[in-house]
Amino acid sequence: MDVDLLPLRKRITNTFKLCGFLIRSENSSYLAEQLLPFDAAERDKWLTVITENLQSQKLLTPHVERAALEKAINELNRVGLDEGETVFALIDAFTVPRFRYNQRIKKFELDTQPRQLLTAPRMKSDYMQQRYAMLLQKTLRHDLFAPAVIQDGVGAEAQAKKFKLQFAENLLATSVMKEAVVLGLLTQLKEGKFYVEDPTGCVQLDLTGARFHAGFFCEGCFVLAEGNYNNGVLKVDGLGFPPAEPATSSRAFFGTANTWGGESAKLLKYSAGLQELERTNTETTIVFLSDVRLDLPIVMDKLRQLFVGYDSCPPQAIVLMGPFTASTRNYHELRQHLDALGGLAAGCEQLKKQTDLILVPSSEDPTAPNILPRAPIPECLAAGLLKAWPRTQLATNPCRLQYCTQQIVVCRLDLMAKFCRNTLHFPEDTSQIEQHFARTIVCQGHLVPIHPITMPVHWDYDPALWLYPLPDLIVMGDSCQSFSSSQHGCTVLNTGSFVKSKFAFKVYIPATRTIEDSEIPDEME
């Protein structure tokens, strides 16, 4: 390798001198390593464009430092992309933009009001009202509730049965109404008595004899209740969720505004350059692991095997989800384990150069309360890891990933157990339990459609938990058995527990939108 680098280093030094630059031996070695995979003609082209880029940087001295070289290479790799467009980005939950639905113009508008953790008391009801407004507008557009249209002289009612959505105040203003359908929050205002509540009022439900559609119906989720209303009580015949809506339909009501978050002013879904990169980068992968207990020696051994195995073909990112240690108040213990994690990558130079290591904390990790969205692990605890692996990123829980035009949500939460424990009606078909799970969060358009007592949420940052418009992939780090399910163009993936599943993990291939099941064997040759 060194024999091949010597003539290339000499060529780099001479080219830089002709352009008025001086380059130290360690920096010429770095650039030679970057150019070595190309043939002679390609190397000359790269040297030309790199020196042109350095001239445009207007360096203060003729000496070219490593930082200037890296900046030039990064900018040249982004040729064809507009300003603000990135191939891969991690988006903090606390920076996700908040949109409000404008009933007058029937569009979502960006809310630029400042947000804070300890917010005004009015936000306790406001965030639920905004969630209701989001679900209401897409429900009214659904074929079952859209206004009737006459086609070829035949009324739409004759073609398919239509429903008229009622508000709680419409029912409360009368004594009897047949075939009433109400959208509202499923809540228990009195012990043992359930109600459906919307901004206009609440109606008591009689669920005896009700037919439950697919999904988990927990207190705190929004439901469509259909039945006959009589003297203050709605006797429910069927209880279902608001209909899901494909992302392509939803985005029409946001325009080109960036609803996902990140640096770009417009949504990167529409970027032609990123679409081409996504199509051609067929080898790119993203690796997901959950329940990564760094305090267990066997887990550290398996992670070392994982890093060594991926050093020859680095993925775009490796996402590790907590808890990273057993629940403990000794925060310095976690720092020691994170330092050891950085040491596992010793010798894996290609992996550390090309792969982002993303840490997503669980509710058991320090030092934030058990409220979503959850702040990342403090940098002071991960200082050693950040030094050993500079591309490490400390993420919030949940967080968002953007790879080219694809949108990915990552959340570490044992949500399946919460659904099963709090549902009013357990699904009869237990063999399809993952379908019920996926349908619940997709139809609700929210990561935690459950009572705030069960899973508290920061009122001002509730939009960070929205799944509207639907992303391409939702990755749940739930300790139950792993699964994947597709609903309306959105894939819901549960990674399962790395510890409990004999060290299994998931690999996502963006080019084909496929998921591979992988496992670290007991012995690697």
Side-chain angles (χ1 to χ4, degrees):
M1 181 67 73
D2 291 340
V3 176
D4 295 333
L5 287 178
L6 283 174
L8 184 53
R9 284 176 53 189
K10 187 175 180 180
R11 172 69 175 153
I12 291 170
T13 303
N14 292 336
T15 303
F16 274 52
K17 281 183 179 179
L18 289 173
C19 296
F21 294 118
L22 298 175
I23 185 169
R24 294 187 177 91
S25 59
E26 62 268 21
N27 292 332
S28 64
S29 297
Y30 164 74
L31 185 55
E33 290 174 358
Q34 304 299 314
L35 298 178
L36 191 60
F38 301 104
D39 58 34
E42 283 293 317
R43 290 172 188 170
D44 290 341
K45 289 181 182 178
W46 272 100
L47 280 174
T48 301
V49 294
I50 287 172
T51 51
E52 288 176 353
N53 184 282
L54 291 171
Q55 288 170 342
S56 68
Q57 290 185 32
K58 298 180 180 179
L59 303 178
L60 298 177
T61 67
H63 289 279
V64 178
E65 301 297 339
R66 172 77 171 263
L69 284 175
E70 290 178 344
K71 182 180 179 182
I73 293 171
N74 289 336
E75 288 182 357
L76 292 170
N77 282 331
R78 293 184 62 251
V79 169
L81 301 183
D82 296 333
E83 185 177 355
E85 293 185 350
T86 53
V87 175
F88 183 78
L90 170 68
I91 298 162
D92 188 298
F94 295 101
T95 65
V96 171
R98 176 170 61 183
F99 286 80
R100 289 179 178 270
Y101 186 69
N102 187 322
Q103 181 63 39
R104 182 177 60 83
I105 63 174
K106 299 193 183 308
K107 293 276 188 181
F108 282 89
E109 296 179 323
L110 181 64
D111 185 352
T112 57
Q113 293 295 320
R115 291 179 281 178
Q116 52 190 359
L117 294 180
L118 300 177
T119 187
R122 63 176 179 81
M123 288 303 299
K124 183 177 182 180
S125 60
D126 183 79
Y127 86 95
M128 293 300 288
Q129 290 176 0
Q130 292 305 314
R131 205 187 295 180
Y132 171 81
M134 177 266 288
L135 294 170
L136 176 64
Q137 55 89 29
K138 70 169 183 172
T139 301
L140 290 173
R141 284 199 302 272
H142 193 268
D143 291 341
L144 289 175
F145 300 96
V149 177
I150 296 178
Q151 296 178 352
D152 300 327
V154 181
E157 291 87 349
Q159 302 167 21
K161 185 177 180 180
K162 295 279 185 177
F163 293 93
K164 182 179 180 182
L165 202 61
Q166 304 289 345
F167 295 101
E169 64 180 1
N170 300 136
L171 300 186
L172 296 173
T174 185
S175 58
V176 177
M177 184 180 293
K178 294 188 179 295
E179 294 188 349
V181 182
V182 185
L183 171 66
L185 183 71
L186 184 62
T187 181
Q188 190 176 185
L189 299 181
K190 296 179 182 178
E191 182 68 30
K193 293 184 178 180
F194 287 92
Y195 293 75
V196 61
E197 181 180 2
D198 68 15
T200 68
C202 56
V203 176
Q204 185 178 338
L205 301 178
D206 179 2
L207 296 174
T208 57
R211 181 173 60 88
F212 289 83
H213 293 224
F216 292 100
F217 293 85
C218 303
E219 186 181 351
C221 73
F222 286 88
V223 296
L224 279 171
E226 186 263 328
N228 298 315
Y229 178 77
N230 192 351
N231 293 326
V233 177
L234 179 64
K235 184 170 178 55
V236 179
D237 295 327
L239 198 69
F241 287 142
E245 184 178 68
T248 50
S249 302
S250 305
R251 291 192 196 102
F253 298 88
F254 290 89
T256 59
N258 184 1
T259 58
W260 189 246
E263 298 178 0
S264 177
K266 63 181 182 180
L267 195 64
L268 297 182
K269 271 284 179 187
Y270 307 117
S271 169
L274 288 175
Q275 287 175 356
E276 179 63 19
L277 277 174
E278 182 181 316
R279 186 183 64 82
T280 55
N281 291 352
T282 56
E283 301 299 320
T284 301
T285 58
I286 303 175
V287 180
F288 296 98
L289 299 83
S290 181
D291 204 6
V292 182
R293 289 281 302 277
L294 302 179
D295 56 341
L296 299 179
I298 183 66
V299 172
M300 298 297 276
D301 291 341
K302 296 299 181 181
L303 287 177
R304 172 62 182 172
Q305 294 178 24
L306 181 78
F307 294 160
V308 171
Y310 270 119
D311 189 46
S312 59
C313 52
Q316 179 68 54
I318 297 177
V319 181
L320 303 182
M321 291 179 265
F324 297 110
T325 61
S327 184
T328 176
R329 293 182 179 274
N330 185 0
Y331 302 152
H332 297 289
E333 184 180 331
L334 176 59
R335 181 171 63 183
Q336 295 169 3
H337 293 308
L338 291 175
D339 290 347
L341 177 63
L344 294 181
C348 303
E349 299 306 319
Q350 291 302 314
L351 187 69
K352 291 191 286 186
K353 283 181 183 178
Q354 301 179 36
T355 299
D356 290 297
L357 181 67
I358 299 173
L359 302 186
V360 180
S362 76
S363 59
E364 299 176 31
D365 290 311
T367 55
N370 186 24
I371 307 174
L372 293 181
R374 187 204 183 282
I377 292 173
E379 285 191 17
C380 60
L381 297 181
L385 174 60
L386 290 166
K387 184 177 180 181
W389 195 324
R391 293 190 63 161
T392 298
Q393 299 192 62
L394 305 177
T396 56
N397 182 23
C399 64
R400 295 182 173 188
L401 305 179
Q402 169 254 318
Y403 173 74
C404 291
T405 66
Q406 293 195 35
Q407 300 172 341
I408 303 170
V409 173
V410 180
C411 180
R412 172 62 182 97
L413 183 65
D414 288 335
L415 188 58
M416 180 71 84
K418 294 182 185 295
F419 278 164
C420 294
R421 194 178 300 124
N422 292 279
T423 185
L424 272 66
H425 171 80
F426 200 84
E428 296 177 1
D429 186 8
T430 55
S431 63
Q432 299 292 323
I433 200 77
E434 67 276 3
Q435 300 287 345
H436 294 279
F437 180 94
R439 188 174 187 276
T440 300
I441 61 175
V442 166
C443 290
Q444 294 289 319
H446 200 272
L447 273 173
V448 283
I450 201 165
H451 198 283
I453 292 178
T454 306
M455 189 63 249
V457 171
H458 286 297
W459 305 334
D460 242 356
Y461 294 96
D462 184 65
L465 308 177
W466 281 23
L467 301 173
Y468 184 84
L470 282 173
D472 298 286
L473 177 66
I474 302 170
V475 181
M476 296 297 300
D478 197 306
S479 57
C480 70
Q481 187 175 357
S482 63
F483 62 81
S484 66
S485 174
S486 293
Q487 304 266 341
H488 299 274
C490 171
T491 300
V492 180
L493 165 68
N494 178 40
T495 60
S497 171
F498 184 63
V499 176
K500 298 176 183 177
S501 62
K502 297 182 179 179
F503 311 105
F505 58 95
K506 303 293 181 182
V507 179
Y508 179 62
I509 306 172
T512 57
R513 298 176 184 257
T514 54
I515 298 164
E516 290 185 351
D517 297 325
S518 299
E519 183 178 315
I520 302 175
D522 292 335
E523 294 183 4
M524 291 185 67
E525 296 180 359

